[in-house]
Every structure is written in C-alpha cells, then in structure tokens.
Amino acid sequence: MIEKICSSRQMAKSAEDGEEVFAADDSEDTLELDVLVGHIENIILSDEFAALRESFMQEHCNKFEDTEENKLEYTDIFTQYTKLIEGHIERELSSREKGFNMNAFQELISKSEAIDGEVFDLLSTFTDFLMFKDAMLEIKKSTEDGSARLQDLLQVTRLSS
C-alpha cells in the first residue's frame, strides 16, 4: 500500500515535469486529498504509531547485525513490519473517513499535481529496507548501551500567541 502511494506520487511528479500528463486536479479531489494527507500526517506523528513501531523494533532488533550481508530472516521481518505499518495506517484512515477506499486514494494521488510534501517522503521511508535495517541497528545499539529513546529526549510545547 505505502509503496503504491509513493509510486503514484512519483508518476504524478513525472507528469509535472512534462513526461506524462494525467487528468487535471479538480478542486473537490484536491480538498479530499488534502484531508486524507492531513489524516496520514496525524497518524504517523501520533504517540500510538510511534509506540507501535518502537514495540515491533524492540522485539526484533536483536536479530540484526551490522554487516554488509543481509540475512533472509531480515526480509521476513521487514515484510511483517511493512504489513503492520500499512495495516495500521489503513485502519486509522478507515476509522477517520467513512467510506475510505485505498484504491480511490491512490487514484487521487496519481491525478494530483500538488503532492510534494514531507508526509510522502516519510511514508517512503517505511518501505525502504536499508533505512529499516539502519533503524533496527540503532534501536539495538541503544538497547545494548542503555541510551535514551529519541522520544524521551524530545519535548514539544505549544507557543502562545
């Protein structure tokens, strides 16, 4: 799912560069896409999502080694991770938007001319094996040396206006 979304984004960006032309954005479609992208952003920045990822990584990080060679076991773990992340995002989108349809969402993305954004860049990291392996090794290292988790080091406060 995430890979298809990111792939649809690449096709739409190619259309912007003049390589291929897709249907023009319709204001209703743009609004719907903006709402869904906002939901995705809220989902992937939520404490629940962070806890889900961290729990999975803590459970599996000890199986990873910092070597050039990648074991077959890593692929299985990465597949489980991708399914977990995609399932969570899709369930959350379905609960936030009545009648949500992933295929329709992918179609919206492929038609859109304005899809640049950090949300899509972040989504693409969830389907990148090397980034996943690096994250697993970082979690393993922090577990072994007792260093703090990143979210323990960050504090977000709202500025008053």
Side-chain angles (χ1 to χ4, degrees):
M1 171 200 73
I2 293 174
E3 201 166 304
K4 287 181 183 177
I5 291 171
C6 294
S7 166
S8 296
R9 175 182 178 232
Q10 284 302 108
M11 289 187 338
K13 283 183 79 171
S14 294
E16 289 175 20
D17 297 335
E19 295 175 16
E20 202 169 330
V21 177
F22 292 93
D25 267 330
D26 178 272
S27 60
E28 186 177 317
D29 285 349
T30 303
L31 179 61
E32 183 178 354
L33 183 60
D34 288 346
V35 168
L36 291 172
V37 169
H39 287 317
I40 291 173
E41 184 173 4
N42 291 334
I43 292 165
I44 62 179
L45 296 177
S46 71
D47 291 340
E48 180 184 1
F49 185 77
L52 179 73
R53 287 186 66 218
E54 185 168 337
S55 172
F56 182 90
M57 291 181 145
Q58 286 285 346
E59 182 181 337
H60 298 283
C61 69
N62 290 323
K63 297 171 184 153
F64 285 77
E65 298 172 1
D66 193 5
T67 62
E68 292 284 322
E69 186 178 329
N70 293 316
K71 297 178 181 179
L72 185 58
E73 179 181 24
Y74 300 171
T75 304
D76 294 336
I77 294 169
F78 180 65
T79 300
Q80 291 173 33
Y81 171 77
T82 303
K83 287 180 181 178
L84 177 73
I85 296 301
E86 289 177 349
H88 179 75
I89 291 172
E90 193 161 359
R91 278 189 306 279
E92 285 293 314
L93 283 172
S94 295
S95 74
R96 294 169 191 228
E97 278 297 311
K98 291 186 183 352
F100 173 75
N101 179 297
M102 183 55 72
N103 292 332
F105 177 57
Q106 291 171 349
E107 179 69 22
L108 277 176
I109 291 171
S110 70
K111 291 189 323 184
S112 178
E113 294 177 7
I115 344 186
D116 253 350
E118 295 173 7
V119 171
F120 290 102
D121 293 338
L122 185 56
L123 280 175
S124 67
T125 67
F126 299 134
T127 60
D128 184 306
F129 174 77
L130 293 177
M131 292 179 96
F132 170 76
K133 182 181 177 187
D134 287 344
M136 289 299 249
L137 292 171
E138 282 298 315
I139 296 274
K140 180 179 180 179
K141 180 182 175 194
S142 69
T143 301
E144 291 172 349
D145 68 14
S147 60
R149 299 178 323 195
L150 179 60
Q151 68 188 82
D152 291 339
L153 300 173
L154 297 176
Q155 180 178 4
V156 179
T157 55
R158 175 171 284 174
L159 296 175
S160 302
S161 24

